[in-house]
Amino acid sequence: MTLRAKPRIKVCGLTRVEDVQAAVAAGVDAIGLVFYAASPRHVTIAQAKVLCQAIPPFVTIVGLFVNASRAEVHRVIEAVPLNLLQFHGDETIDQCEGFGLPYLRAARVRPGVDLLEFASQFPSARALLLDTWTPAFGGSGESFDWSLVPSSCPLPVILSGGLHPDNVAAAIRQVQPVAVDVSSGVESAKGIKDADKIRAFVEAVRGT
């Protein structure tokens, strides 16, 4: 029998040092910082630099961007020790490449969206991150119909969108992603994480 690795865990949208510390203590694999001014979880470069000081080696630091200019992305990269970029808007492959860092490409999922065709447009992406479609970009707190995820995909799949401690195990069993990404599902308020919910989420993933 082939053993399947447990999905990696990313907690996104952190805004406070104590929340970063709680996520690290719980054993998450990655921390997501949102550089999108319209998001309630947005952080400035100055805030991000402080948060990164609380992130130890071997925890991946992911920077999330939505339709940012190349100059804006470069400004963040030059100041913040990001390991991975996440593009969550309408970016083309040319707008994702050329920064000297690997990237994730997010797809907003709803019926009628061809995820295989979308993934084929980004062969250089490290993975395809699947989130719930909203008129805005992310942060809805709602899950999507997991049956819309194709059984095979040209890119590794990261599952996001409305995950929380009570549904993440079922999501993993159905989708079998390489990683899961949570934000609102471990919050007490927008941008404010709950340490107990983070621990419960990690325990639910590790128990699958």
Side-chain angles (χ1 to χ4, degrees):
M1 183 178 69
T2 302
L3 293 177
R4 182 178 178 85
K6 301 291 185 184
R8 301 290 184 176
I9 302 170
K10 171 173 167 270
V11 175
C12 196
L14 292 110
T15 62
R16 306 187 303 170
V17 169
E18 56 264 44
D19 295 342
V20 171
Q21 293 170 333
V24 169
V28 306
D29 302 287
I31 298 292
L33 303 176
V34 177
F35 299 97
Y36 177 47
S39 171
R41 302 170 182 90
H42 169 256
V43 291
T44 64
I45 287 176
Q47 289 172 312
K49 290 169 71 173
V50 173
L51 294 174
C52 287
Q53 292 174 358
I55 302 174
F58 306 120
V59 176
T60 301
I61 305 172
V62 184
L64 185 154
F65 299 89
V66 177
N67 299 330
S69 68
R70 293 192 72 84
E72 181 182 348
V73 177
H74 277 299
R75 279 196 298 272
V76 174
I77 291 172
E78 289 168 2
V80 182
L82 300 181
N83 307 118
L84 188 63
L85 306 178
Q86 178 177 327
F87 292 104
H88 218 95
D90 303 310
E91 297 88 357
T92 65
I93 187 170
D94 290 340
Q95 292 169 312
C96 297
E97 294 181 331
F99 294 105
L101 288 173
Y103 72 93
L104 310 175
R105 186 63 175 93
R108 296 183 292 156
V109 182
R110 63 176 173 177
V113 174
D114 188 334
L115 293 175
L116 293 178
E117 193 277 333
F118 185 90
S120 71
Q121 298 176 34
F122 300 92
S124 57
R126 185 62 57 88
L128 183 67
L129 187 146
L130 303 181
D131 199 1
T132 305
W133 190 94
T134 64
F137 295 94
S140 70
E142 301 294 328
S143 60
F144 62 87
D145 181 356
W146 300 325
S147 69
L148 296 173
V149 181
S151 58
S152 62
C153 184
L155 294 173
V157 168
I158 299 172
L159 185 62
S160 185
L163 298 179
H164 52 74
D166 295 329
N167 71 357
V168 68
I172 290 169
R173 286 192 295 269
Q174 180 167 340
V175 179
Q176 298 188 359
V178 299
V180 289
D181 185 355
V182 65
S183 183
S184 61
V186 292
E187 288 183 337
S188 57
K190 288 186 177 181
I192 307 299
K193 305 306 184 194
D194 182 298
D196 290 336
K197 289 181 179 180
I198 293 174
R199 283 193 295 271
F201 187 88
V202 171
E203 290 170 2
V205 175
R206 300 297 186 225
T208 57

